[in-house]
């Protein structure tokens, strides 16, 4: 297959550069895609975690291994391959153009590795999107070849777009991407997989990370939505409307309708407003929270984990945003949102209440490279809380002492909460300075729970607390989450050496004999790397990453360390396409996830080879 693609690229490429620009042909045909090979091998007792079998059947206690702690992707033995090609035909008229695209996909080999370590699968073939037939079971194999799948699919059309040649308007149908929503009101679902890339960062990095080649592009940056999206630009004013289906389990549906408007002002300033509504239907959903019907608490080594059943959700979010320059050298941001939520199957009908989001930021720009600022965040426990699982129950890292953990374990959130999350408020400060070849970026935050995790609060409709579990009766202690992030980089003529570091902590005390309410955790993380530019067409990087989770979670002592060494490269070979290769050596050591249980020890090696092409 690689030879066919490369031969087609050679035949389609011009033999010499054109001396002058040519007129746009009335009809254009383009083909782009990716060919991926993945090979992983693991060994050790961490291959089969003690929570694994129950977790695969829906239990809330998630395993500690086998996962890459930086990306949450599973680490299982197996060999897999993936082909994904997108063909686009474009018809150009005098004032508008029409694009029609098709997507062909195929996978072979280990289902978990192809889904989580290859290029993200797109369209109806994607099991994570929720409308495909490609199976992706939660399994913990001990050797390769036990979870292999071979499947292929064609989506025609994948997308149809009608657009003005002067870029004033665009209407798209099929699998579409949004473009203008403020992230605190709506953000497209993130991929659950790892996009092949040279970049590797700590979760809350304050730095730029490792760069890829400018030509290293993926077919999508987030999960596309199945529906329609239209945008219009008139002078400084932009509008967008969307009606689409979100990823969801196959026996359920989630429909999103929304719109946004933006006015561009001088010097990059802008004001905007957004409204989004999401309605779910179909089979009831099991959620790791207490506000659904028949709430249950499951005690164990990871604490009193919640589980309930939820159905027919309705979520509306409205927000306004202003990014201004109040005086020379200063940037000011104001974001305000309000959300309304309800559902048909809940623990306490009539207990819903609106939730708010507030973000204020002031940054002093000393010059093009140096800045310092302070900001304040407040996000209600009832803001943006609609529960939206991916298309299949996912084998993703959701262990109780993970930080930052996945939004409600295996689901995606309607809004962006990268800064901290639901039921949090507090300040964050940040600085960035460049002196010669050196760059320093640093940030620190101190967030506090807005409302404690009482049973009364957690059973209120739409109340979401991700990190701090339900309190014992009579206990009213609050959780505090603090963090420091630093990035130190040195850029030479061809090399960039960087140290990316973060240290987060969580603390919640307890009263009397309620030691089960205790949280006292630390999460130091670092990535040390060197990236070398052999030329503008050839990049290589090597480094080491370390992530530790240590402390006490309820009455369970926690101490786990994940380490990974990596080396990789990207080549741009022009008409032959772009190649990526990365080799990782990883391991986990630490205390058992269940006291007295098997150790989480895991060792392994992973290889990813990816080829992109454009014809």
């Amino acid at each position: 297959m690689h030879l066919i693609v490369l031969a087609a690229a050679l035949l389609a490429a011009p033999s010499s550069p054109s001396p002058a620009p040519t007129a746009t042909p009335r009809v254009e045909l383009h083909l782009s895609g990716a060919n991926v090979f993945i090979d992983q091998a693991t060994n050790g007792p961490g291959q089969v975690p003690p929570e694994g079998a129950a977790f695969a059947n829906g239990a809330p206690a998630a395993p500690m291994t086998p996962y890459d702690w930086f990306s949450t992707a599973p680490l299982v033995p197996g060999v897999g391959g993936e082909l994904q090609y997108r063909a686009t035909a474009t018809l150009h008229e005098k004032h508008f153009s029409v694009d029609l695209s098709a997507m062909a996909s195929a996978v072979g080999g280990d289902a978990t590795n192809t889904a989580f370590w290859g290029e993200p699968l797109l369209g109806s073939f994607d099991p994570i999107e929720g409308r495909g037939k490609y199976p992706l079971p939660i399994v913990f194999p001990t050797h390769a070849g036990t979870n292999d799948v071979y499947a292929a699919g064609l989506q025609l059309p994948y997308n149809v777009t009608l657009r003005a040649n002067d870029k004033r308007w665009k209407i798209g149908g099929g699998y579409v991407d949004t473009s203008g929503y403020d992230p605190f009101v709506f953000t497209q679902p993130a991929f659950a997989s790892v996009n092949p890339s040279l970049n590797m960062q700590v979760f809350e990095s304050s730095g730029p990370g490792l760069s890829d080649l400018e030509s290293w592009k993926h077919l999508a940056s987030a999960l596309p939505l199945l529906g329609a999206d239209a945008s219009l630009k008139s002078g400084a004013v932009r509008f967008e409307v969307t009606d689409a289906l979100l990823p969801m389990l196959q026996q359920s549906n989630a429909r999103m309708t929304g719109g946004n408007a933006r006015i561009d002002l001088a010097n990059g300033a802008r004001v905007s407003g957004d409204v989004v509504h999401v309605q779910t239907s179909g089979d009831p959903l099991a959620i790791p929270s207490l506000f659904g019907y028949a709430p249950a608490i499951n005690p164990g080594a990871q604490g009193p984990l919640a589980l309930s059943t939820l159905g027919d959700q309705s979520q509306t979010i409205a927000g306004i945003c202003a990014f201004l320059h109040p005086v020379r050298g200063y940037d000011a941001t104001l974001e305000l949102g309000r959300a309304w939520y309800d559902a048909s199957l809940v623990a306490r009908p009539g207990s819903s209440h609106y939730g708010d989001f507030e973000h204020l930021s002031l940054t002093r720009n000393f010059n093009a490279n140096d800045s310092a600022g302070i900001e304040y965040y407040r996000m209600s426990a009832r803001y943006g809380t609609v529960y939206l699982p991916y298309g299949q129950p996912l084998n993703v890292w959701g262990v109780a002492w993970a930080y930052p953990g996945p939004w409600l374990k295996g689901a995606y959130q309607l809004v962006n909460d990268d800064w901290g999350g639901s039921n949090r408020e507090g300040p964050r400060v940040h600085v960035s300075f460049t002196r010669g070849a050196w760059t320093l970026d640093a940030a620190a935050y101190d967030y506090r729970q807005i409302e404690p995790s009482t049973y009364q609060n957690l059973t209120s409709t739409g109340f979401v607390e991700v990190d701090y579990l339900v309190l014992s009766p009579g206990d009213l202690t609050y959780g505090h989450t603090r963090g420091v992030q630093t990035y130190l980089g040195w850029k030479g003529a061809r090399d960039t050496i960087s140290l990316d570091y973060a240290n987060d902590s969580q603390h919640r005390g307890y009263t009397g004999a309620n030691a089960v309410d205790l949280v006292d955790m630390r999460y130091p993380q670092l990535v040390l790397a060197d990236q070398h530019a052999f030329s503008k067409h050839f990049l290589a990087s090597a480094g080491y990453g370390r992530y530790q989770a240590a402390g006490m979670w309820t009455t369970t002592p926690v101490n786990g360390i994940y380490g990974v060494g990596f080396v990789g490269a990207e080549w741009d070979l022009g008409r032959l396409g772009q190649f990526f290769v990365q080799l990782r050596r990883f391991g986990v050591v630490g205390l058992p996830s269940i006291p007295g249980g098997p150790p989480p020890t895991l060792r392994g090696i992973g290889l990813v080879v990816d080829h992109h092409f454009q014809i």
Side-chain angles (χ1 to χ4, degrees):
M1 181 61 71
H2 281 73
L3 294 176
I4 295 174
V5 173
L6 296 179
L10 287 168
L11 292 172
S15 59
S16 60
S18 177
T22 58
T24 301
R26 186 160 188 252
V27 178
E28 290 185 284
L29 299 175
H30 296 279
L31 177 66
S32 61
N35 309 290
V36 188
F37 172 80
I38 308 109
D39 187 2
Q40 286 202 131
T42 64
N43 63 78
Q47 286 182 309
V48 184
E51 306 90 348
F55 175 66
N57 288 315
M64 182 177 179
T65 57
Y67 302 102
D68 172 66
W69 289 11
F70 285 98
S71 68
T72 77
L75 299 171
V76 299
V79 179
E82 173 193 340
L83 308 177
Q84 186 159 237
Y85 302 154
R86 179 173 181 171
T88 303
T90 301
L91 172 66
H92 295 287
E93 295 293 347
K94 182 177 180 180
H95 299 294
F96 66 90
S97 298
V98 181
D99 304 306
L100 172 65
S101 65
M103 184 77 70
S105 307
V107 296
D110 186 78
T112 302
N113 282 323
T114 53
F116 287 99
W117 288 99
E119 290 283 335
L121 296 168
L122 302 173
S124 61
F125 189 68
D126 178 17
I128 294 174
E129 193 266 347
R131 276 166 276 274
K133 303 301 182 184
Y134 164 33
L136 187 59
I138 298 176
V139 294
F140 300 94
T142 57
H143 58 277
T146 59
N147 187 35
D148 286 357
V149 63
Y150 297 88
L154 175 65
Q155 180 78 36
L156 177 65
Y158 174 77
N159 172 272
V160 179
T161 301
L162 178 65
R163 54 186 170 86
N165 292 336
D166 60 6
K167 300 182 180 181
R168 289 190 304 111
W169 54 266
K170 182 175 72 170
I171 303 172
Y175 283 90
V176 298
D177 294 302
T178 62
S179 59
Y181 291 93
D182 290 305
F184 70 96
V185 175
F186 175 74
T187 185
Q188 276 185 237
F191 288 125
S193 58
V194 180
N195 260 332
S197 168
L198 293 178
N199 188 29
M200 182 173 178
Q201 295 176 277
V202 299
F203 267 115
E204 298 172 310
S205 176
S206 61
L210 303 176
S211 61
D212 290 301
L213 291 172
E214 289 186 9
S215 58
W216 185 251
K217 307 294 184 183
H218 299 280
L219 291 178
S221 58
L223 274 175
L225 310 180
L226 179 57
D229 183 84
S231 59
L232 171 67
K233 179 181 179 182
S234 178
V237 182
R238 305 180 185 212
F239 301 94
E240 180 183 17
V241 292
T242 310
D243 185 354
L245 297 177
L246 299 173
M248 179 55 76
L249 296 173
Q250 292 193 9
Q251 303 305 316
S252 302
N253 284 295
R255 182 178 180 180
M256 171 265 192
T257 54
N260 65 78
R262 189 177 99 185
I263 302 175
D264 295 321
L265 307 176
N267 300 317
R270 63 185 182 275
V271 293
S272 58
D274 319 75
V275 177
V276 165
H277 178 75
V278 171
Q279 184 74 44
T280 71
S281 60
D283 288 354
L285 305 171
I287 68 167
S289 191
L290 291 175
F291 66 83
Y293 177 74
I297 296 175
N298 302 267
Q302 297 177 17
L305 301 179
L307 201 62
S308 64
T309 301
L310 194 63
D312 295 339
Q313 305 171 86
S314 177
Q315 173 85 80
T316 301
I317 304 177
I320 56 173
C321 172
F323 175 71
L324 306 171
H325 310 295
V327 294
R328 182 180 177 85
Y330 284 86
D331 295 337
T333 301
L334 172 65
E335 295 175 331
L336 300 174
R338 174 156 288 187
W340 299 265
Y341 174 87
D342 211 341
S344 63
L345 290 176
V346 292
R348 294 197 293 121
S351 62
S352 63
H353 191 274
Y354 64 80
D356 290 330
F357 174 84
E358 302 163 12
H359 174 217
L360 295 85
S361 172
L362 183 65
T363 299
R364 173 71 166 101
N365 299 299
F366 302 102
N367 53 52
N369 298 313
D370 302 340
S371 64
I374 184 170
E375 47 194 336
Y376 169 81
Y377 287 95
R378 188 181 193 278
M379 182 172 171
S380 164
R382 299 170 178 85
Y383 183 84
T385 57
V386 58
Y387 180 67
L388 297 167
Y390 285 97
Q392 292 196 27
L394 295 186
N395 188 354
V396 296
W397 183 31
V399 68
W401 41 83
Y403 183 83
W407 169 250
L408 284 180
K409 317 304 180 191
Y412 60 93
Q413 193 172 10
L414 196 63
V415 300
N416 184 1
D417 69 345
D418 288 347
W419 60 271
S422 177
N423 198 27
R424 298 290 182 273
E425 65 175 345
R428 180 180 181 270
V429 295
H430 57 91
V431 296
S432 180
F433 288 97
T434 299
R435 294 294 181 269
W438 293 91
T439 296
L440 172 66
D441 297 307
Y445 67 84
D446 186 351
Y447 300 142
R448 176 182 184 271
Q449 268 190 301
I450 300 173
E451 299 180 73
S453 300
T454 63
Y455 187 84
Q456 180 75 5
N457 280 338
L458 292 175
T459 54
S460 299
T461 302
F463 189 103
V464 171
E465 169 55 57
V466 175
D467 298 314
Y468 298 103
L469 304 178
V470 60
L471 288 163
S472 300
D475 209 340
L476 289 176
T477 53
Y478 288 76
H480 282 81
T481 305
R482 300 178 175 90
V484 175
Q485 302 91 38
T486 58
Y487 170 89
L488 181 63
W490 177 85
K491 186 173 181 61
R494 290 185 178 273
D495 284 271
T496 299
I497 300 175
S498 60
L499 175 63
D500 199 359
Y501 174 79
N503 194 351
D504 301 292
S505 67
Q506 292 177 296
H507 180 79
R508 184 178 70 179
Y510 66 94
T511 58
N514 298 325
V516 70
D517 296 337
L518 174 65
V519 176
D520 189 16
M521 293 291 299
R522 297 165 300 284
Y523 309 91
Q525 312 153 47
L526 67 84
V527 175
L528 177 64
D530 178 19
Q531 186 165 66
H532 182 79
F534 291 93
S535 72
K536 66 179 182 179
H537 302 296
F538 182 19
L539 281 179
S541 64
Y544 172 75
R546 185 182 189 272
Y547 186 120
Q548 182 179 15
M552 289 290 294
W553 186 272
T554 68
T555 58
T556 302
V558 179
N559 195 352
I561 298 174
Y562 172 78
V564 56
F566 58 92
V567 59
E570 289 175 357
W571 296 266
D572 187 340
L573 300 179
R575 60 191 180 186
L576 298 180
Q578 301 81 39
F579 284 87
F580 166 92
V581 60
Q582 186 178 66
L583 183 69
R584 294 169 293 106
R585 176 67 174 169
F586 50 83
V588 178
V589 295
L591 297 176
S593 58
I594 299 176
T601 306
L602 181 75
R603 298 284 188 275
I605 189 168
L607 173 68
V608 178
V609 180
D610 194 355
H611 167 233
H612 291 185
F613 68 92
Q614 306 84 31
I615 299 175

